[in-house]
C-alpha cells in the first residue's frame, strides 16, 4: 500500500492511546484556497493513482518525486514519515513556505534545519530521519522496516527523548507510538517487527531483502545463501539473464551489491570473522574478500556439495556428488580427505558440512543413503570428531542440519523445517523434534534447504515459491498469436516437439528433478501418455526425441543417475546410456541418429558429444550449454556465459575444423535450429536468424519475431521449442515454480526455537 498523503491530519490517537492512520489511498479533491499560508491544511492535490505526470499529496509532506509529478512508490511514504516525525520532535515543519508553491519549492531545494531537533534525540533517530528525507531515491530508505532496524542499532531508545520546548509533553510521550504506526503503514504489514516492544519481550524483528541487480535467486540443488556469524552480513546467489554471481547485503545498507570475482558462483559461506567468502565456481573451491576482488583457487571441487570455514582457518568441503568430506587450509595448500562414505553400510554421499560450537574443528554433516539417492528423509546427521577422526551419527531421518545457538539444531525432512534440542557441549540431541512455522524453499532431491543461522540469533531463509504449479500448453505462430492445447492444467516443463510436429514431450512435476516424469501430448486429440513411471521422490526430466520419433532420451536421478532411453510409445524396457552414474542432461539428437549432445557439470556446464555406437563421450566446448545440431549435423550452436558479460550464442563445426562464429551481437540464449533457420530468445523476445551451411557457413542478422510473457526457462533448461518447419512454437504458461525473489530475515529468532521445543506443562 502506498498512502501518498501521510500528514498529521491523517494520524489520530484514540482515548485508549491507540494510534491510527486514516484515509488510505483516498484520491478525493477537497476545496480550499490554493494560496493558504498553512501548508498543513492545504488541499490534498489528487489524480489517478501513482501515474507519472500528475501531482498528488499535501504540499508540506510531499516527496520531491510527488512534487515533480513523477510516479511514486513506498519511498514517498517514507519521506512523509520522516517529515511527520521531524515535526513531532521539533514542533515545526521540515518544509514550509508562505504559499503552497513556496512549500513545494522548499521540498525540492531547501535544507532541513537539523539543529532544531532536541539535544536528547538519539543519534540513531537523527540518522534515520536524514535517510527518510533524502532526495536521492537510491540512498533513501527503500523499506521502512530497515528504519526500525537502524533505530535499534544503538542502545539509546527513542522513548527516552526528553520533553523540550517547543514540543509538548504529550508529543514527546506519544511520538514513538505514532512513529511505529507510520512504520507499520509504510512497511506494508510488519507490525510484529516494527511495534515498540517492552523490554524483555522476545518478539523477533523481521524484514525482507528483495533483489536488486539480480532477476532471481536460482533454484539450485545447492545452498544459495549464508549469514556471517555476527548476523550483520548476508550473502546470496543472484542470477540475471542466466549469469550468476554473489550478492552481499549488509545491515547498514538497503541495496544488495554484486561481489566482484564471483561469476558462476554457488554454495557461498562466510569466514568466521565475516571478512572473507568461500564459494564454488568452475569446478573449483575458491575464496574472495567480502568486498570483492580476485578470487583465489583453493582446491578441485567438480560437483560441490557445500563447505564450511572453521575457526582454525581451514575449510571443510564436499567436492563431489558421492564423495566424502575434505579439508584444505584457507590460505591455500594441499587438501586432505576426512571422511569416506561407507558403501557396505549403505552410505552414498557426505554433504552439507557446517560448524558446531568449539574450536576443535568438529563438523556436522549429512549422510545420504544408497537406497534413495533422491530421498533425504532417511538420511543421517553425523558428526566428524577431529580427536578420534571418526564419524558418529547424531540422529537419523533428516538432512542439512544447521546449528542454531545456543542449543538447537534445525534441519529438513519431508520438505519441512524442523528443530530439535541439542547440547552444544556433549553434541547430542536432548529432546524431540518439532516443526518450525516457516515456509522456506527446499530442494528435497539433494537434501538442501535455503536457510542460514548466525550466532546472534539471526535467521535467514528464501521465501517458499509455493506448491506445484497448474500450467497450460500454448502454441503460437511466427507472429506470436497463441492458441491453447486441450490438455488439463498440470505443472508442465521443458516441452519438445516430435520430428513430425504432431506430439510434444514434456516433463510433468515440480520441474527441478524431484518426482518428475516424462509424458507425451498428442496435439490433435489432447491425449496425455505417461512415458516414465518413476519411484517415489525419483525424477525423470529433460526429454529429447530421436530423429525418427521412435525413442526419447531423458535424464533421471534414480540410483543409477544419468541419461536413459525409452520407446516413445511407453512400451519396452528402459536403457541406460552410461555404465556409471553421471548427472548429465540430454540436449539434442543429431538427425542421422549417431550422436547425442549433452551437458555435464550443471550448473557450470560443459558440452559433450556422445557417440551412440560405442557410447564414447568427447568434450566439445567447455563452459557452454544448450547445444543444438544443424539439420545437416555438421554444426553445433550453443550458449556461452562469459564472466561479466551477457549470454551469447556461438556456432562451431562438429568436426572441429574451422573457427567459431558468434550469432548474437547483444545477447541471446536457448537456440533451436530448424530447417528454416536458427531461433533464440533474448529477454522475453523471440528472434530468428537465416543460416546457410553450404558451401560455406553464413548467418544473416537477427530479426525479432514477437514478445512473450511465458516462462522461458533458466540456462540450460529451455522451456519452449519450435517445429522443424519453423512455423509453430510451443510454450508453457502459468506460475513459475522456483521463481525466488525474496529473502526473509528475522533478528532475535532463537528464543522462538526455545518456545517451540519447551516441554509441555
Amino acid at each position: 500500500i502506498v498512502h501518498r498523503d501521510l500528514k498529521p491530519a491523517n494520524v489520530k490517537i484514540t482515548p485508549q492511546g491507540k494510534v491510527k492512520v486514516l484515509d488510505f489511498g483516498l484520491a478525493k479533491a477537497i476545496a480550499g484556497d490554493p494560496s493558504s499560508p498553512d501548508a498543513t491544511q492545504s488541499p490534498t492535490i489528487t489524480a489517478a493513482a501513482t501515474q507519472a505526470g500528475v501531482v498528488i499529496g499535501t504540499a508540506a509532506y510531499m516527496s520531491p518525486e510527488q512534487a515533480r509529478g513523477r510516479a511514486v512508490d513506498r519511498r514517498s511514504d517514507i519521506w512523509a514519515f520522516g517529515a511527520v516525525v521531524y515535526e513531532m520532535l521539533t514542533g515545526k515543519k521540515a518544509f514550509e513556505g508562505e504559499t503552497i508553491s513556496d512549500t513545494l519549492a522548499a521540498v525540492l531545494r531547501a535544507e532541513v534545519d537539523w539543529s532544531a531537533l532536541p539535544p536528547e534525540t538519539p543519534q540513531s533517530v537523527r540518522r534515520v530521519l536524514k535517510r527518510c528525507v533524502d532526495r536521492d531515491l537510491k540512498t533513501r530508505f527503500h523499506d521502512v522496516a530497515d528504519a526500525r532496524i537502524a533505530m535499534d542499532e544503538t542502545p539509546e531508545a527513542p522513548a527516552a527523548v526528553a520533553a523540550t520546548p517547543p514540543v509538548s509533553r504529550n508529543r514527546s510521550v506519544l511520538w514513538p507510538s505514532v512513529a511505529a504506526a507510520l512504520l507499520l503503514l509504510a512497511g506494508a504489514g510488519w507490525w510484529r517487527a516494527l511495534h515498540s516492544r517492552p523490554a524483555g519481550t522476545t518478539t523477533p524483528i523481521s524484514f525482507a531483502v528483495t533483489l536488486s541487480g539480480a532477476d532471481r535467486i536460482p533454484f539450485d540443488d545447492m545452498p544459495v545463501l549464508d549469514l556471517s556469524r555476527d548476523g550483520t552480513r548476508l550473502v546470496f546467489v543472484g542470477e540475471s539473464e542466466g549469469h550468476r554471481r554473489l550478492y552481499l547485503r549488509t545491515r547498514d545498507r538497503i541495496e544488495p551489491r554484486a561481489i566482484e570475482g564471483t561469476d558462476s558462483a554457488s554454495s557461498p559461506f562466510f569466514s568466521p570473522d565475516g571478512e572473507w567468502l568461500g564459494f564454488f565456481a568452475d569446478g573449483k573451491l575458491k575464496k574472495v574478500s567480502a568486498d570483492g576482488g580476485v578470487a583465489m583457487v583453493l582446491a578441485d571441487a567438480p560437483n560441490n556439495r557445500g563447505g564450511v570455514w572453521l575457526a582454525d582457518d581451514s575449510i571443510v568441503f564436499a567436492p563431489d556428488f558421492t564423495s566424502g568430506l575434505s579439508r584444505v587450509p584457507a590460505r591455500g595448500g594441499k587438501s586432505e580427505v576426512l571422511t569416506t562414505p561407507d558403501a557396505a553400510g549403505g552410505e552414498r554421499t557426505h554433504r552439507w558440512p557446517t560448524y558446531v560450537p568449539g574450536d576443535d574443528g568438529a563438523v556436522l554433516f549429512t549422510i545420504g543413503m544408497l537406497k534413495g539417492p533422491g530421498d533425504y528423509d532417511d538420511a543421517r546427521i553425523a558428526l566428524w570428531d577431529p580427536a578420534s577422526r571418526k564419524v558418529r551419527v547424531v540422529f537419523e531421518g533428516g538432512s542439512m542440519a544447521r546449528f542454531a545457538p545456543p542449543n538447537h539444531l534445525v534441519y529438513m525432512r519431508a520438505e519441512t523445517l524442523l528443530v530439535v534440542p541439542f547440547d552444544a557441549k556433549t553434541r547430542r540431541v536432548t529432546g524431540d523434534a518439532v516443526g518450525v512455522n516457516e515456509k522456506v524453499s527446499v530442494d528435497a532431491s539433494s537434501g538442501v534447504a535455503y536457510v542460514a543461522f548466525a550466532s546472534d540469533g539471526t535467521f535467514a531463509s528464501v521465501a517458499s515459491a509455493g506448491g506445484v504449479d497448474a500450467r497450460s500448453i500454448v502454441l503460437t505462430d511466427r507472429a506470436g498469436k497463441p492458441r491453447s492445447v486441450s490438455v488439463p492444467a498440470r505443472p508442465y516443463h521443458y516441452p519438445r516437439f516430435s520430428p513430425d510436429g504432431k506430439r510434444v514431450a514434456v516433463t510433468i512435476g515440480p520441474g527441478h528433478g524431484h518426482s518428475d516424469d516424462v509424458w507425451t501430448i498428442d496435439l490433435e486429440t489432447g491425449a496425455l501418455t505417461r512415458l516414465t513411471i518413476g519411484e517415489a521422490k525419483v525424477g525423470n526430466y529433460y526429454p529429447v526425441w530421436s530423429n525418427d520419433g521412435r525413442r526419447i532420451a531423458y535424464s533421471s536421478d534414480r540410483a543409477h543417475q544419468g541419461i536413459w532411453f525409452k520407446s516413445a510409445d511407453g512400451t519396452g524396457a528402459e536403457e541406460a546410456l552410461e555404465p556409471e552414474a553421471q548427472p548429465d542432461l540430454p540436449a539434442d539428437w543429431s538427425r542421422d541418429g549417431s550422436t547425442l549432445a549433452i551437458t555435464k557439470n550443471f550448473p557450470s556446464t560443459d558440452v559433450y558429444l556422445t557417440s551412440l555406437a560405442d557410447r564414447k563421450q568427447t568434450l566439445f566446448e567447455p563452459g557452454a550449454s544448450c547445444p543444438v545440431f544443424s539439420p545437416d549435423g555438421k554444426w553445433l550452436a550453443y550458449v556461452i556465459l562469459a564472466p561479466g558479460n551477457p549470454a551469447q550464442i556461438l556456432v562451431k563445426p562438429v568436426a572441429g575444423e574451422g573457427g567459431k562464429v558468434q550469432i548474437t551481437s547483444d545477447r541471446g540464449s536457448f537456440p533451436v535450429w530448424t530447417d528454416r533457420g536458427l531461433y533464440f530468445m533474448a529477454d522475453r523476445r523471440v528472434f530468428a536468424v537465416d543460416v546457410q551451411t553450404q558451401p560455406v557457413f553464413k548467418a544473416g542478422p537477427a530479426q525479432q519475431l514477437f514478445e512473450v510473457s511465458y516462462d522461458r526457462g533458466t540456462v540450460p533448461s529451455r522451456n519452449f521449442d519450435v517445429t522443424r518447419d519453423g512455423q509453430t512454437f510451443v510454450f508453457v504458461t502459468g506460475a513459475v515454480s522456483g521463481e525466488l525473489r525474496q529473502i526473509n530475515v528475522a533478528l532475535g529468532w532463537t528464543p522462538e526455537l526455545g518456545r517451540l521445543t519447551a516441554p509441555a506443562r
Side-chain angles (χ1 to χ4, degrees):
I1 298 173
V2 181
H3 191 288
R4 302 187 299 277
D5 196 20
L6 281 179
K7 57 186 177 182
N10 285 339
V11 182
K12 300 296 184 183
I13 304 169
T14 69
Q16 293 76 31
K18 182 177 291 187
V19 181
K20 291 190 174 184
V21 179
L22 309 180
D23 286 351
F24 281 78
L26 293 181
K28 183 179 180 181
I30 55 175
D33 180 5
S35 61
S36 170
D38 185 355
T40 305
Q41 302 301 322
S42 70
T44 299
I45 310 166
T46 64
T50 55
Q51 69 187 56
V54 295
V55 179
I56 61 173
T58 302
Y61 309 97
M62 269 188 196
S63 64
E65 57 270 24
Q66 278 179 287
R68 290 189 172 97
R70 294 176 179 172
V72 303
D73 56 26
R74 56 182 161 185
R75 288 173 292 185
S76 290
D77 282 352
I78 293 172
W79 172 285
F81 159 75
V84 171
V85 174
Y86 175 91
E87 185 172 339
M88 295 166 69
L89 286 171
T90 63
K92 60 182 288 186
K93 290 182 262 309
F95 308 98
E96 57 185 338
E98 293 184 1
T99 66
I100 292 177
S101 298
D102 292 335
T103 302
L104 291 176
V107 167
L108 294 174
R109 292 188 295 272
E111 293 298 323
V112 177
D113 181 11
W114 299 113
S115 64
L117 290 171
E120 298 86 354
T121 306
Q123 288 299 318
S124 57
V125 176
R126 293 175 183 267
R127 288 194 297 269
V128 165
L129 292 180
K130 290 179 180 180
R131 290 288 297 278
C132 288
V133 293
D134 189 336
R135 290 188 176 89
D136 189 340
L137 281 170
K138 295 180 180 178
T139 51
R140 190 188 309 165
F141 280 124
H142 288 208
D143 194 312
V144 83
D146 295 305
R148 178 55 189 259
I149 294 169
M151 283 185 177
D152 285 345
E153 284 181 350
T154 73
E156 303 167 295
V161 178
T164 57
V167 183
S168 70
R169 185 179 185 276
N170 284 341
R171 276 198 179 116
S172 68
V173 170
L174 289 170
W175 86 262
S177 297
V178 179
L182 296 178
L183 280 163
L184 166 64
L185 164 70
W190 292 107
W191 172 248
R192 293 182 66 187
L194 306 176
H195 183 61
S196 296
R197 293 165 288 132
T201 62
T202 58
T203 303
I205 296 174
S206 301
F207 61 94
V209 175
T210 53
L211 302 196
S212 175
D215 288 339
R216 69 178 81 185
I217 299 168
F219 197 106
D220 266 350
D221 57 356
M222 295 174 282
V224 297
L225 80 165
D226 194 29
L227 283 166
S228 60
R229 305 286 167 87
D230 64 1
T232 61
R233 293 184 168 197
L234 169 71
V235 64
F236 63 90
V237 181
E239 181 179 75
S240 179
E241 286 296 312
H243 182 69
R244 302 184 183 200
R245 54 183 172 179
L246 298 182
Y247 289 79
L248 183 72
R249 205 278 200 177
T250 57
R251 204 176 286 179
D252 61 346
R253 292 287 185 269
I254 301 300
E255 297 286 349
R257 62 173 177 82
I259 303 175
E260 184 183 355
T262 61
D263 293 301
S264 303
S266 64
S267 303
F269 53 93
F270 278 101
S271 62
D273 61 5
E275 297 298 321
W276 290 84
L277 284 166
F279 66 97
F280 299 87
D282 308 318
K284 306 289 182 182
L285 167 64
K286 301 181 180 183
K287 76 170 186 179
V288 71
S289 168
D291 294 327
V294 178
M296 175 181 175
V297 175
L298 298 176
D300 289 332
N303 299 289
N304 89 86
R305 280 302 176 257
V308 60
W309 200 314
L310 300 178
D312 64 359
D313 206 32
S314 68
I315 293 175
V316 173
F317 65 104
D320 218 327
F321 294 115
T322 57
S323 71
L325 303 180
S326 296
R327 179 170 62 185
V328 66
R331 64 182 180 276
K334 185 178 180 181
S335 61
E336 61 169 324
V337 175
L338 298 186
T339 70
T340 301
D342 178 12
E347 296 181 2
R348 174 179 176 267
T349 173
H350 292 175
R351 56 180 58 190
W352 316 138
T354 188
Y355 69 93
V356 290
D359 297 330
D360 58 349
V363 176
L364 203 69
F365 64 97
T366 299
I367 299 177
M369 309 307 291
L370 283 168
K371 66 178 182 180
D375 180 7
Y376 285 84
D377 289 351
D378 295 325
R380 299 168 179 170
I381 302 301
L383 184 85
W384 180 78
D385 178 48
S388 64
R389 297 184 68 86
K390 292 183 178 180
V391 172
R392 171 172 62 86
V393 175
V394 176
F395 68 91
E396 298 189 22
S399 67
M400 200 177 175
R402 289 295 183 261
F403 179 67
N407 51 10
H408 292 92
L409 290 180
V410 178
Y411 65 99
M412 185 190 76
R413 190 175 193 278
E415 302 189 23
T416 303
L417 211 59
L418 296 99
V419 58
V420 65
F422 180 75
D423 189 317
K425 293 182 179 180
T426 63
R427 294 167 178 170
R428 295 182 183 276
V429 170
T430 60
D432 296 328
V434 296
V436 177
N437 189 22
E438 292 290 338
K439 299 295 184 181
V440 302
S441 291
V442 301
D443 180 12
S445 66
S446 65
V448 69
Y450 299 164
V451 298
F453 298 87
S455 299
D456 72 338
T458 301
F459 167 56
S461 64
V462 178
S464 174
V468 175
D469 306 322
R471 315 178 79 182
S472 301
I473 298 293
V474 175
L475 303 179
T476 78
D477 59 18
R478 287 175 60 88
K481 183 179 180 180
R483 63 182 177 91
S484 60
V485 179
S486 297
V487 292
R490 298 280 180 87
Y492 299 111
H493 298 269
Y494 323 127
R496 298 293 185 270
F497 278 114
S498 61
D500 61 8
K502 296 181 179 180
R503 290 178 292 170
V504 170
V506 295
T507 299
I508 298 181
H512 45 83
H514 187 52
S515 303
D516 295 348
D517 269 305
V518 176
W519 297 62
T520 60
I521 301 173
D522 188 311
L523 296 177
E524 294 180 0
T525 65
L528 275 169
T529 302
R530 189 169 186 170
L531 183 71
T532 65
I533 303 177
E535 303 170 9
K537 301 179 182 179
V538 171
N540 303 288
Y541 40 90
Y542 300 123
V544 173
W545 293 85
S546 64
N547 182 55
D548 58 11
R550 295 181 178 180
R551 303 175 77 200
I552 293 178
Y554 53 92
S555 187
S556 178
D557 57 10
R558 68 193 74 186
H560 185 103
Q561 191 173 14
I563 296 174
W564 292 70
F565 301 100
K566 193 171 183 179
S567 172
D569 61 9
T571 62
E574 298 171 294
E575 176 192 356
L577 171 67
E578 301 149 317
E580 297 180 358
Q582 297 288 338
D584 300 338
L585 304 178
D588 198 25
W589 207 320
S590 64
R591 297 281 182 97
D592 63 7
S594 66
T595 309
L596 189 69
I598 66 174
T599 56
K600 283 179 173 286
N601 306 324
F602 179 80
S604 300
T605 56
D606 302 321
V607 170
Y608 279 74
L609 298 182
T610 301
S611 168
L612 297 182
D614 56 12
R615 308 299 169 93
K616 182 180 179 180
Q617 295 185 349
T618 305
L619 176 64
F620 179 79
E621 186 68 26
S625 62
C626 305
V628 290
F629 286 102
S630 62
D632 61 11
K634 295 183 179 181
W635 298 81
L636 203 71
Y638 55 91
V639 174
I640 283 289
L641 286 171
N645 295 308
Q648 301 289 358
I649 296 175
L650 282 73
V651 172
K652 176 181 171 181
V654 171
E657 300 175 358
K660 306 172 186 177
V661 178
Q662 183 167 320
I663 298 297
T664 51
S665 58
D666 180 22
R667 66 184 66 216
S669 56
F670 306 119
V672 182
W673 210 325
T674 74
D675 295 336
R676 188 163 177 170
L678 195 63
Y679 297 81
F680 67 90
M681 290 193 72
D683 299 321
R684 294 190 180 277
R685 298 169 294 163
V686 179
F687 289 84
V689 177
D690 289 330
V691 178
Q692 172 186 307
T693 59
Q694 295 294 336
V696 295
F697 182 87
K698 183 179 180 181
Q703 302 290 332
Q704 180 176 331
L705 298 182
F706 56 92
E707 291 191 35
V708 296
S709 59
Y710 315 124
D711 175 25
R712 60 181 182 173
T714 302
V715 173
S717 310
R718 172 164 53 92
N719 237 350
F720 78 100
D721 200 22
V722 190
T723 53
R724 288 190 173 180
D725 62 6
Q727 296 296 325
T728 306
F729 297 75
V730 61
F731 299 92
V732 291
T733 180
V736 182
S737 179
E739 194 80 349
L740 310 175
R741 300 181 183 277
Q742 178 176 302
I743 299 172
N744 294 332
V745 180
L747 311 181
W749 193 71
T750 49
E752 176 71 5
L753 299 181
R755 184 190 67 79
L756 290 170
T757 57
R761 293 183 180 179

